[in-house]
Structures are given as structure tokens and as C-alpha cells.
Amino acid sequence: MIYTVECSFTDPASEAEWNEFYSLAKLPALISVRGFHTSQRFKALTAGCPVYLAVHSINNLEVLQGDEYRQKGGGNFSRWQQHITDWHRNLYGGLDRAPAIGANEYLVVSAIGPDPFIKMGLTPYQMQAVALDKFPEYRWLAKLGRSVEAGIEDLPKGVYLYAPMTEQLTSRGDGNPKTSR
């Protein structure tokens, strides 16, 4: 299952510190939770969506309802909460593992169907919302090489381009994260 967390941040003075906390402390804490398998963070390059997106591969909804998640990763935003806006959480079925997006790739996300990806020659991965916000009900993910420029500037409304902010962390099963290469 794919767990997504999206938000924007409204305080430029503390945004770099918040990003450092999220990328260097929160993601490793999350990936150490039993039932989390991958975690990666992204920043939107297109308008019309929350600026930040975290994509995690997890076992099921129970992982997010457990004490270990609450202690290690759930919340922990009190210092920055007043600056976090447009916050959404979704749990999607249909894809077991999130694709690892490398430094030379983009993540493309669609809420309008797979056709824009197919027209771009990309392989779409379909997901359906099964818990939490449940909106949008369907989403499609695709990897895009940075060398591909065709169509990027003309993405339709509902299709968003993201650059990775971190490497994808993966669980080693011993509570310690490793990065995907």
C-alpha cells in the first residue's frame, strides 16, 4: 500500500529548518516503524498542488494506527504546525511499493487518469484511495527521466511534476534505514 502525505509551508524564515527536520529526522524515524518499507520526499515543480509530497510504502492502515507509529513518526510537527497548510493524507491500494525516483528523474502524479502518461510514453501505475482522506479517489504515478523534456511545460490540470528531495529510504527489517540507489 502507498501512504502519501502532502502539504505546503507558509513561513519562508523557518522552511529550510523544517525541511531539514522532515528529511533528516522524520523520514528515518518513519522508516524504522515496523510495517514501513520505503519513504521518499518530493517538492512540486508545477503549481496547483501542495508543495511537498512524501510517499511511503507500508503494509496496511493498522501500521498508521499503532503505538510505534505514534511514538516514532506520527505527528511531531507541533513546532511547525501553524505554518503547515493544504495538508492531506491518503492510503492507496493497487501498488505494493512506491517507485524509487533517482536524482536524474522526476515523479509525475495524475489525478485525471493515465492518458497523459501514455501520451508521454510513460508507464502509469494506478492506485485507489482506501483510507484516510480518500481524495482523489484514483491516482497514477510515473517515473520520468530528466532528459525527457517533451510535454513537461504543457502538463494538463491535475497532472503534477515533482523533484526528489531525498533518496528513497528502505527498511532493512532491523529498525535502521538504508537508501535505495
Side-chain angles (χ1 to χ4, degrees):
M1 301 196 96
I2 305 300
Y3 171 49
T4 63
V5 180
E6 302 170 81
C7 70
S8 294
F9 198 84
T10 62
D11 182 36
S14 64
E15 192 164 9
E17 187 179 5
W18 178 73
N19 280 322
E20 183 176 315
F21 158 77
Y22 203 115
S23 296
L24 300 178
K26 185 165 182 68
L27 283 188
L30 286 171
I31 200 67
S32 75
V33 174
R34 278 184 302 276
F36 269 76
H37 303 289
T38 69
S39 290
Q40 189 168 14
R41 198 156 174 251
F42 302 90
K43 186 170 185 178
L45 299 177
T46 49
C49 62
V51 174
Y52 298 104
L53 170 67
V55 179
H56 314 278
S57 304
I58 67 171
N59 285 349
N60 50 44
L61 180 60
E62 289 75 27
V63 171
L64 304 177
Q65 297 169 332
D67 289 337
E68 186 179 13
Y69 172 74
R70 280 191 286 279
Q71 291 169 2
K72 290 183 176 179
N76 299 331
F77 284 103
S78 59
R79 180 174 175 195
W80 295 282
Q81 194 71 44
Q82 65 185 337
H83 306 298
I84 296 171
T85 62
D86 208 9
W87 185 69
H88 308 281
R89 296 185 328 145
N90 276 293
L91 185 62
Y92 291 98
L95 190 59
D96 291 333
R97 295 277 177 142
I101 307 299
N104 61 342
E105 297 173 310
Y106 295 115
L107 176 67
V108 190
V109 179
S110 171
I112 62 169
D115 289 345
F117 295 162
I118 294 167
K119 288 177 184 171
M120 294 172 72
L122 305 176
T123 302
Y125 300 99
Q126 180 179 330
M127 307 182 303
Q128 181 176 7
V130 296
L132 305 173
D133 289 353
K134 292 187 181 180
F135 184 82
E137 182 179 1
Y138 290 96
R139 273 195 163 162
W140 290 262
L141 304 179
K143 279 182 158 187
L144 176 67
R146 291 203 182 189
S147 62
V148 177
E149 296 294 330
I152 290 177
E153 63 283 340
D154 296 321
L155 292 173
K157 184 176 180 176
V159 177
Y160 306 105
L161 187 67
Y162 294 88
M165 294 177 70
T166 65
E167 292 182 295
Q168 185 184 71
L169 299 180
T170 58
S171 171
R172 294 191 312 200
D174 62 3
N176 294 308
K178 64 180 180 176
T179 57
S180 295
R181 301 247 180 220

mmCIF file of all heavy atoms in Angstrom, residues 5-11 15 18-19 22 40-55 83-88 107 109 139 160-165:
data_model
loop_
_atom_site.group_PDB
_atom_site.id
_atom_site.type_symbol
_atom_site.label_atom_id
_atom_site.label_comp_id
_atom_site.label_asym_id
_atom_site.label_seq_id
_atom_site.Cartn_x
_atom_site.Cartn_y
_atom_site.Cartn_z
ATOM 1 N N VAL A 5 1.564 11.807 2.105
ATOM 2 C CA VAL A 5 1.329 12.983 2.930
ATOM 3 C C VAL A 5 1.746 14.187 2.093
ATOM 4 O O VAL A 5 2.857 14.238 1.575
ATOM 5 C CB VAL A 5 2.143 12.946 4.238
ATOM 6 C CG1 VAL A 5 1.871 14.188 5.078
ATOM 7 C CG2 VAL A 5 1.856 11.677 5.031
ATOM 8 N N GLU A 6 0.824 15.143 1.954
ATOM 9 C CA GLU A 6 1.075 16.338 1.152
ATOM 10 C C GLU A 6 0.820 17.574 1.993
ATOM 11 O O GLU A 6 -0.076 17.569 2.843
ATOM 12 C CB GLU A 6 0.111 16.387 -0.030
ATOM 13 C CG GLU A 6 0.179 15.198 -0.931
ATOM 14 C CD GLU A 6 -0.956 15.194 -1.911
ATOM 15 O OE1 GLU A 6 -0.852 15.916 -2.923
ATOM 16 O OE2 GLU A 6 -1.937 14.484 -1.652
ATOM 17 N N CYS A 7 1.586 18.624 1.746
ATOM 18 C CA CYS A 7 1.333 19.890 2.433
ATOM 19 C C CYS A 7 2.123 21.006 1.769
ATOM 20 O O CYS A 7 3.003 20.770 0.960
ATOM 21 C CB CYS A 7 1.688 19.796 3.914
ATOM 22 S SG CYS A 7 3.447 19.661 4.248
ATOM 23 N N SER A 8 1.766 22.197 2.160
ATOM 24 C CA SER A 8 2.553 23.385 1.813
ATOM 25 C C SER A 8 3.033 23.997 3.118
ATOM 26 O O SER A 8 2.546 23.643 4.194
ATOM 27 C CB SER A 8 1.701 24.375 1.013
ATOM 28 O OG SER A 8 1.353 23.814 -0.238
ATOM 29 N N PHE A 9 3.982 24.907 3.021
ATOM 30 C CA PHE A 9 4.571 25.524 4.213
ATOM 31 C C PHE A 9 4.620 27.024 3.978
ATOM 32 O O PHE A 9 5.117 27.476 2.951
ATOM 33 C CB PHE A 9 5.972 24.957 4.445
ATOM 34 C CG PHE A 9 6.503 25.181 5.824
ATOM 35 C CD1 PHE A 9 6.170 24.326 6.856
ATOM 36 C CD2 PHE A 9 7.336 26.258 6.089
ATOM 37 C CE1 PHE A 9 6.666 24.529 8.135
ATOM 38 C CE2 PHE A 9 7.837 26.474 7.356
ATOM 39 C CZ PHE A 9 7.497 25.604 8.386
ATOM 40 N N THR A 10 4.104 27.807 4.936
ATOM 41 C CA THR A 10 3.905 29.240 4.695
ATOM 42 C C THR A 10 4.933 30.177 5.321
ATOM 43 O O THR A 10 4.807 31.385 5.163
ATOM 44 C CB THR A 10 2.513 29.659 5.211
ATOM 45 O OG1 THR A 10 2.452 29.439 6.623
ATOM 46 C CG2 THR A 10 1.413 28.896 4.502
ATOM 47 N N ASP A 11 5.948 29.650 6.011
ATOM 48 C CA ASP A 11 6.912 30.527 6.675
ATOM 49 C C ASP A 11 8.302 30.382 6.055
ATOM 50 O O ASP A 11 9.055 29.474 6.425
ATOM 51 C CB ASP A 11 6.973 30.216 8.169
ATOM 52 C CG ASP A 11 7.933 31.137 8.904
ATOM 53 O OD1 ASP A 11 8.019 32.326 8.542
ATOM 54 O OD2 ASP A 11 8.606 30.654 9.843
ATOM 55 N N GLU A 15 11.386 27.573 6.844
ATOM 56 C CA GLU A 15 11.144 26.463 5.907
ATOM 57 C C GLU A 15 12.368 25.566 5.722
ATOM 58 O O GLU A 15 12.242 24.338 5.671
ATOM 59 C CB GLU A 15 10.678 27.007 4.560
ATOM 60 C CG GLU A 15 10.147 25.937 3.639
ATOM 61 C CD GLU A 15 9.338 26.518 2.485
ATOM 62 O OE1 GLU A 15 9.318 27.754 2.300
ATOM 63 O OE2 GLU A 15 8.727 25.712 1.776
ATOM 64 N N TRP A 18 12.604 23.365 8.756
ATOM 65 C CA TRP A 18 11.534 22.372 8.720
ATOM 66 C C TRP A 18 11.859 21.265 7.722
ATOM 67 O O TRP A 18 11.685 20.078 8.009
ATOM 68 C CB TRP A 18 10.213 23.056 8.360
ATOM 69 C CG TRP A 18 9.077 22.093 8.259
ATOM 70 C CD1 TRP A 18 8.445 21.458 9.283
ATOM 71 C CD2 TRP A 18 8.449 21.642 7.069
ATOM 72 N NE1 TRP A 18 7.451 20.648 8.798
ATOM 73 C CE2 TRP A 18 7.427 20.744 7.432
ATOM 74 C CE3 TRP A 18 8.640 21.919 5.718
ATOM 75 C CZ2 TRP A 18 6.613 20.117 6.520
ATOM 76 C CZ3 TRP A 18 7.820 21.292 4.794
ATOM 77 C CH2 TRP A 18 6.826 20.404 5.201
ATOM 78 N N ASN A 19 12.342 21.643 6.536
ATOM 79 C CA ASN A 19 12.721 20.640 5.543
ATOM 80 C C ASN A 19 13.851 19.749 6.042
ATOM 81 O O ASN A 19 13.851 18.541 5.803
ATOM 82 C CB ASN A 19 13.103 21.301 4.223
ATOM 83 C CG ASN A 19 11.897 21.686 3.407
ATOM 84 O OD1 ASN A 19 10.907 20.963 3.376
ATOM 85 N ND2 ASN A 19 11.970 22.822 2.750
ATOM 86 N N TYR A 22 12.272 17.313 8.507
ATOM 87 C CA TYR A 22 11.433 16.310 7.844
ATOM 88 C C TYR A 22 12.301 15.291 7.103
ATOM 89 O O TYR A 22 12.110 14.083 7.219
ATOM 90 C CB TYR A 22 10.460 16.981 6.877
ATOM 91 C CG TYR A 22 9.243 16.141 6.574
ATOM 92 C CD1 TYR A 22 7.975 16.547 6.950
ATOM 93 C CD2 TYR A 22 9.353 14.929 5.892
ATOM 94 C CE1 TYR A 22 6.858 15.774 6.661
ATOM 95 C CE2 TYR A 22 8.246 14.154 5.608
ATOM 96 C CZ TYR A 22 7.004 14.585 5.992
ATOM 97 O OH TYR A 22 5.903 13.824 5.714
ATOM 98 N N GLN A 40 10.131 8.392 0.736
ATOM 99 C CA GLN A 40 10.845 9.364 -0.085
ATOM 100 C C GLN A 40 10.051 10.657 -0.108
ATOM 101 O O GLN A 40 8.824 10.650 -0.059
ATOM 102 C CB GLN A 40 11.050 8.835 -1.512
ATOM 103 C CG GLN A 40 11.969 9.707 -2.344
ATOM 104 C CD GLN A 40 12.406 9.061 -3.649
ATOM 105 O OE1 GLN A 40 11.852 8.057 -4.090
ATOM 106 N NE2 GLN A 40 13.419 9.657 -4.280
ATOM 107 N N ARG A 41 10.767 11.747 -0.211
ATOM 108 C CA ARG A 41 10.144 13.074 -0.162
ATOM 109 C C ARG A 41 10.404 13.829 -1.451
ATOM 110 O O ARG A 41 11.476 13.724 -2.054
ATOM 111 C CB ARG A 41 10.754 13.826 1.023
ATOM 112 C CG ARG A 41 9.951 14.991 1.451
ATOM 113 C CD ARG A 41 10.232 15.338 2.908
ATOM 114 N NE ARG A 41 9.502 16.561 3.140
ATOM 115 C CZ ARG A 41 10.052 17.743 3.314
ATOM 116 N NH1 ARG A 41 11.347 17.893 3.371
ATOM 117 N NH2 ARG A 41 9.287 18.813 3.476
ATOM 118 N N PHE A 42 9.394 14.655 -1.852
ATOM 119 C CA PHE A 42 9.431 15.371 -3.124
ATOM 120 C C PHE A 42 8.979 16.812 -2.953
ATOM 121 O O PHE A 42 8.234 17.130 -2.035
ATOM 122 C CB PHE A 42 8.493 14.692 -4.142
ATOM 123 C CG PHE A 42 8.836 13.265 -4.393
ATOM 124 C CD1 PHE A 42 8.272 12.259 -3.620
ATOM 125 C CD2 PHE A 42 9.740 12.922 -5.384
ATOM 126 C CE1 PHE A 42 8.598 10.928 -3.836
ATOM 127 C CE2 PHE A 42 10.072 11.590 -5.607
ATOM 128 C CZ PHE A 42 9.495 10.591 -4.821
ATOM 129 N N LYS A 43 9.394 17.656 -3.922
ATOM 130 C CA LYS A 43 8.933 19.036 -3.983
ATOM 131 C C LYS A 43 8.317 19.264 -5.362
ATOM 132 O O LYS A 43 8.906 18.894 -6.389
ATOM 133 C CB LYS A 43 10.082 20.015 -3.763
ATOM 134 C CG LYS A 43 9.614 21.457 -3.676
ATOM 135 C CD LYS A 43 10.712 22.383 -3.219
ATOM 136 C CE LYS A 43 10.148 23.786 -3.022
ATOM 137 N NZ LYS A 43 11.166 24.708 -2.528
ATOM 138 N N ALA A 44 7.132 19.873 -5.370
ATOM 139 C CA ALA A 44 6.411 20.124 -6.623
ATOM 140 C C ALA A 44 7.143 21.159 -7.468
ATOM 141 O O ALA A 44 7.620 22.173 -6.954
ATOM 142 C CB ALA A 44 4.990 20.594 -6.328
ATOM 143 N N LEU A 45 7.184 20.889 -8.761
ATOM 144 C CA LEU A 45 7.746 21.831 -9.724
ATOM 145 C C LEU A 45 6.642 22.513 -10.522
ATOM 146 O O LEU A 45 6.920 23.416 -11.306
ATOM 147 C CB LEU A 45 8.697 21.102 -10.678
ATOM 148 C CG LEU A 45 9.903 20.438 -10.007
ATOM 149 C CD1 LEU A 45 10.721 19.689 -11.046
ATOM 150 C CD2 LEU A 45 10.751 21.459 -9.272
ATOM 151 N N THR A 46 5.408 22.056 -10.330
ATOM 152 C CA THR A 46 4.256 22.637 -11.013
ATOM 153 C C THR A 46 3.307 23.221 -9.974
ATOM 154 O O THR A 46 3.285 22.789 -8.821
ATOM 155 C CB THR A 46 3.523 21.578 -11.853
ATOM 156 O OG1 THR A 46 3.296 20.416 -11.058
ATOM 157 C CG2 THR A 46 4.320 21.178 -13.072
ATOM 158 N N ALA A 47 2.549 24.196 -10.381
ATOM 159 C CA ALA A 47 1.592 24.849 -9.483
ATOM 160 C C ALA A 47 0.287 24.053 -9.428
ATOM 161 O O ALA A 47 0.040 23.177 -10.251
ATOM 162 C CB ALA A 47 1.315 26.267 -9.974
ATOM 163 N N GLY A 48 -0.535 24.410 -8.441
ATOM 164 C CA GLY A 48 -1.865 23.822 -8.349
ATOM 165 C C GLY A 48 -1.964 22.638 -7.422
ATOM 166 O O GLY A 48 -3.002 21.980 -7.372
ATOM 167 N N CYS A 49 -0.891 22.342 -6.686
ATOM 168 C CA CYS A 49 -0.893 21.225 -5.745
ATOM 169 C C CYS A 49 -0.077 21.625 -4.523
ATOM 170 O O CYS A 49 0.667 22.605 -4.555
ATOM 171 C CB CYS A 49 -0.296 19.979 -6.401
ATOM 172 S SG CYS A 49 1.430 20.148 -6.913
ATOM 173 N N PRO A 50 -0.202 20.870 -3.408
ATOM 174 C CA PRO A 50 0.670 21.152 -2.270
ATOM 175 C C PRO A 50 2.141 21.068 -2.694
ATOM 176 O O PRO A 50 2.499 20.273 -3.578
ATOM 177 C CB PRO A 50 0.302 20.055 -1.269
ATOM 178 C CG PRO A 50 -1.109 19.693 -1.618
ATOM 179 C CD PRO A 50 -1.156 19.810 -3.119
ATOM 180 N N VAL A 51 2.973 21.871 -2.072
ATOM 181 C CA VAL A 51 4.382 21.976 -2.456
ATOM 182 C C VAL A 51 5.164 20.704 -2.139
ATOM 183 O O VAL A 51 6.035 20.301 -2.908
ATOM 184 C CB VAL A 51 5.031 23.192 -1.760
ATOM 185 C CG1 VAL A 51 6.527 23.265 -2.021
ATOM 186 C CG2 VAL A 51 4.339 24.471 -2.207
ATOM 187 N N TYR A 52 4.860 20.058 -1.021
ATOM 188 C CA TYR A 52 5.628 18.903 -0.569
ATOM 189 C C TYR A 52 4.791 17.640 -0.616
ATOM 190 O O TYR A 52 3.604 17.649 -0.306
ATOM 191 C CB TYR A 52 6.150 19.132 0.845
ATOM 192 C CG TYR A 52 7.090 20.310 0.914
ATOM 193 C CD1 TYR A 52 6.662 21.523 1.444
ATOM 194 C CD2 TYR A 52 8.384 20.226 0.428
ATOM 195 C CE1 TYR A 52 7.513 22.618 1.489
ATOM 196 C CE2 TYR A 52 9.232 21.319 0.454
ATOM 197 C CZ TYR A 52 8.800 22.514 0.989
ATOM 198 O OH TYR A 52 9.635 23.583 1.020
ATOM 199 N N LEU A 53 5.450 16.543 -0.988
ATOM 200 C CA LEU A 53 4.816 15.244 -1.061
ATOM 201 C C LEU A 53 5.773 14.205 -0.494
ATOM 202 O O LEU A 53 6.935 14.135 -0.913
ATOM 203 C CB LEU A 53 4.490 14.897 -2.522
ATOM 204 C CG LEU A 53 4.041 13.476 -2.830
ATOM 205 C CD1 LEU A 53 2.681 13.183 -2.203
ATOM 206 C CD2 LEU A 53 4.001 13.240 -4.341
ATOM 207 N N ALA A 54 5.292 13.414 0.460
ATOM 208 C CA ALA A 54 6.046 12.266 0.968
ATOM 209 C C ALA A 54 5.283 11.016 0.540
ATOM 210 O O ALA A 54 4.060 10.953 0.659
ATOM 211 C CB ALA A 54 6.183 12.325 2.480
ATOM 212 N N VAL A 55 6.015 10.045 0.009
ATOM 213 C CA VAL A 55 5.420 8.803 -0.476
ATOM 214 C C VAL A 55 6.078 7.647 0.264
ATOM 215 O O VAL A 55 7.309 7.503 0.230
ATOM 216 C CB VAL A 55 5.612 8.653 -2.002
ATOM 217 C CG1 VAL A 55 5.017 7.343 -2.501
ATOM 218 C CG2 VAL A 55 5.006 9.833 -2.743
ATOM 219 N N HIS A 83 2.422 26.695 10.438
ATOM 220 C CA HIS A 83 2.846 27.071 9.088
ATOM 221 C C HIS A 83 2.500 26.018 8.032
ATOM 222 O O HIS A 83 2.734 26.236 6.851
ATOM 223 C CB HIS A 83 4.351 27.325 9.048
ATOM 224 C CG HIS A 83 4.806 28.331 10.060
ATOM 225 N ND1 HIS A 83 4.378 29.641 10.055
ATOM 226 C CD2 HIS A 83 5.638 28.211 11.131
ATOM 227 C CE1 HIS A 83 4.939 30.278 11.079
ATOM 228 N NE2 HIS A 83 5.697 29.437 11.729
ATOM 229 N N ILE A 84 1.974 24.880 8.456
ATOM 230 C CA ILE A 84 1.636 23.800 7.539
ATOM 231 C C ILE A 84 0.207 24.008 7.042
ATOM 232 O O ILE A 84 -0.717 24.120 7.834
ATOM 233 C CB ILE A 84 1.791 22.429 8.225
ATOM 234 C CG1 ILE A 84 3.264 22.211 8.603
ATOM 235 C CG2 ILE A 84 1.295 21.311 7.302
ATOM 236 C CD1 ILE A 84 3.498 20.991 9.471
ATOM 237 N N THR A 85 0.049 24.075 5.727
ATOM 238 C CA THR A 85 -1.270 24.275 5.121
ATOM 239 C C THR A 85 -1.495 23.210 4.043
ATOM 240 O O THR A 85 -0.557 22.509 3.649
ATOM 241 C CB THR A 85 -1.382 25.671 4.477
ATOM 242 O OG1 THR A 85 -0.415 25.769 3.429
ATOM 243 C CG2 THR A 85 -1.158 26.775 5.494
ATOM 244 N N ASP A 86 -2.708 23.146 3.562
ATOM 245 C CA ASP A 86 -3.058 22.256 2.458
ATOM 246 C C ASP A 86 -2.580 20.823 2.729
ATOM 247 O O ASP A 86 -2.027 20.165 1.859
ATOM 248 C CB ASP A 86 -2.458 22.806 1.151
ATOM 249 C CG ASP A 86 -3.263 22.397 -0.060
ATOM 250 O OD1 ASP A 86 -4.363 21.839 0.104
ATOM 251 O OD2 ASP A 86 -2.769 22.617 -1.185
ATOM 252 N N TRP A 87 -2.810 20.367 3.964
ATOM 253 C CA TRP A 87 -2.310 19.073 4.443
ATOM 254 C C TRP A 87 -3.312 17.974 4.122
ATOM 255 O O TRP A 87 -4.501 18.097 4.429
ATOM 256 C CB TRP A 87 -2.073 19.172 5.953
ATOM 257 C CG TRP A 87 -1.461 17.972 6.578
ATOM 258 C CD1 TRP A 87 -0.183 17.518 6.408
ATOM 259 C CD2 TRP A 87 -2.082 17.084 7.501
ATOM 260 N NE1 TRP A 87 0.022 16.401 7.173
ATOM 261 C CE2 TRP A 87 -1.135 16.109 7.854
ATOM 262 C CE3 TRP A 87 -3.362 17.010 8.067
ATOM 263 C CZ2 TRP A 87 -1.402 15.078 8.742
ATOM 264 C CZ3 TRP A 87 -3.625 15.985 8.958
ATOM 265 C CH2 TRP A 87 -2.655 15.033 9.289
ATOM 266 N N HIS A 88 -2.821 16.910 3.472
ATOM 267 C CA HIS A 88 -3.672 15.779 3.092
ATOM 268 C C HIS A 88 -2.911 14.481 3.314
ATOM 269 O O HIS A 88 -1.707 14.414 3.044
ATOM 270 C CB HIS A 88 -4.066 15.856 1.614
ATOM 271 C CG HIS A 88 -4.663 17.156 1.222
ATOM 272 N ND1 HIS A 88 -5.971 17.488 1.480
ATOM 273 C CD2 HIS A 88 -4.125 18.232 0.592
ATOM 274 C CE1 HIS A 88 -6.210 18.701 1.028
ATOM 275 N NE2 HIS A 88 -5.106 19.179 0.499
ATOM 276 N N LEU A 107 9.086 12.456 -10.457
ATOM 277 C CA LEU A 107 7.861 11.727 -10.199
ATOM 278 C C LEU A 107 6.734 12.545 -10.803
ATOM 279 O O LEU A 107 6.639 13.748 -10.561
ATOM 280 C CB LEU A 107 7.624 11.562 -8.690
ATOM 281 C CG LEU A 107 6.302 10.896 -8.293
ATOM 282 C CD1 LEU A 107 6.281 9.431 -8.727
ATOM 283 C CD2 LEU A 107 6.086 11.013 -6.788
ATOM 284 N N VAL A 109 2.580 12.751 -11.104
ATOM 285 C CA VAL A 109 1.378 12.277 -10.415
ATOM 286 C C VAL A 109 0.160 12.828 -11.147
ATOM 287 O O VAL A 109 0.095 14.018 -11.448
ATOM 288 C CB VAL A 109 1.370 12.744 -8.944
ATOM 289 C CG1 VAL A 109 0.110 12.277 -8.234
ATOM 290 C CG2 VAL A 109 2.614 12.246 -8.206
ATOM 291 N N ARG A 139 -5.311 7.766 -8.339
ATOM 292 C CA ARG A 139 -4.099 8.487 -8.724
ATOM 293 C C ARG A 139 -3.229 7.550 -9.533
ATOM 294 O O ARG A 139 -3.255 6.340 -9.337
ATOM 295 C CB ARG A 139 -3.319 8.945 -7.496
ATOM 296 C CG ARG A 139 -3.778 10.283 -6.989
ATOM 297 C CD ARG A 139 -2.747 10.814 -6.057
ATOM 298 N NE ARG A 139 -2.944 12.234 -5.870
ATOM 299 C CZ ARG A 139 -2.428 12.904 -4.873
ATOM 300 N NH1 ARG A 139 -1.680 12.290 -3.979
ATOM 301 N NH2 ARG A 139 -2.629 14.193 -4.766
ATOM 302 N N TYR A 160 0.885 16.598 -12.067
ATOM 303 C CA TYR A 160 1.890 17.390 -11.362
ATOM 304 C C TYR A 160 3.260 16.725 -11.432
ATOM 305 O O TYR A 160 3.388 15.507 -11.389
ATOM 306 C CB TYR A 160 1.473 17.595 -9.910
ATOM 307 C CG TYR A 160 0.090 18.187 -9.818
ATOM 308 C CD1 TYR A 160 -0.996 17.414 -9.441
ATOM 309 C CD2 TYR A 160 -0.138 19.508 -10.170
ATOM 310 C CE1 TYR A 160 -2.281 17.957 -9.392
ATOM 311 C CE2 TYR A 160 -1.410 20.058 -10.129
ATOM 312 C CZ TYR A 160 -2.473 19.272 -9.741
ATOM 313 O OH TYR A 160 -3.738 19.811 -9.708
ATOM 314 N N LEU A 161 4.272 17.559 -11.499
ATOM 315 C CA LEU A 161 5.660 17.122 -11.615
ATOM 316 C C LEU A 161 6.386 17.403 -10.306
ATOM 317 O O LEU A 161 6.296 18.513 -9.770
ATOM 318 C CB LEU A 161 6.321 17.886 -12.767
ATOM 319 C CG LEU A 161 7.720 17.485 -13.171
ATOM 320 C CD1 LEU A 161 7.713 16.084 -13.777
ATOM 321 C CD2 LEU A 161 8.273 18.496 -14.178
ATOM 322 N N TYR A 162 7.117 16.403 -9.816
ATOM 323 C CA TYR A 162 7.838 16.525 -8.547
ATOM 324 C C TYR A 162 9.293 16.121 -8.719
ATOM 325 O O TYR A 162 9.595 15.136 -9.397
ATOM 326 C CB TYR A 162 7.235 15.590 -7.491
ATOM 327 C CG TYR A 162 5.840 15.936 -7.065
ATOM 328 C CD1 TYR A 162 4.739 15.440 -7.745
ATOM 329 C CD2 TYR A 162 5.614 16.764 -5.969
ATOM 330 C CE1 TYR A 162 3.453 15.752 -7.350
ATOM 331 C CE2 TYR A 162 4.327 17.074 -5.566
ATOM 332 C CZ TYR A 162 3.252 16.565 -6.263
ATOM 333 O OH TYR A 162 1.981 16.873 -5.875
ATOM 334 N N ALA A 163 10.177 16.851 -8.056
ATOM 335 C CA ALA A 163 11.595 16.503 -7.996
ATOM 336 C C ALA A 163 11.872 15.862 -6.639
ATOM 337 O O ALA A 163 11.324 16.305 -5.616
ATOM 338 C CB ALA A 163 12.457 17.752 -8.159
ATOM 339 N N PRO A 164 12.716 14.835 -6.603
ATOM 340 C CA PRO A 164 13.023 14.215 -5.312
ATOM 341 C C PRO A 164 13.846 15.156 -4.436
ATOM 342 O O PRO A 164 14.763 15.821 -4.916
ATOM 343 C CB PRO A 164 13.813 12.963 -5.685
ATOM 344 C CG PRO A 164 14.365 13.237 -7.046
ATOM 345 C CD PRO A 164 13.404 14.176 -7.709
ATOM 346 N N MET A 165 13.480 15.219 -3.156
ATOM 347 C CA MET A 165 14.248 15.984 -2.175
ATOM 348 C C MET A 165 15.210 15.064 -1.425
ATOM 349 O O MET A 165 16.182 15.535 -0.828
ATOM 350 C CB MET A 165 13.309 16.651 -1.166
ATOM 351 C CG MET A 165 12.415 17.703 -1.759
ATOM 352 S SD MET A 165 11.284 18.394 -0.536
ATOM 353 C CE MET A 165 12.430 19.337 0.488
#
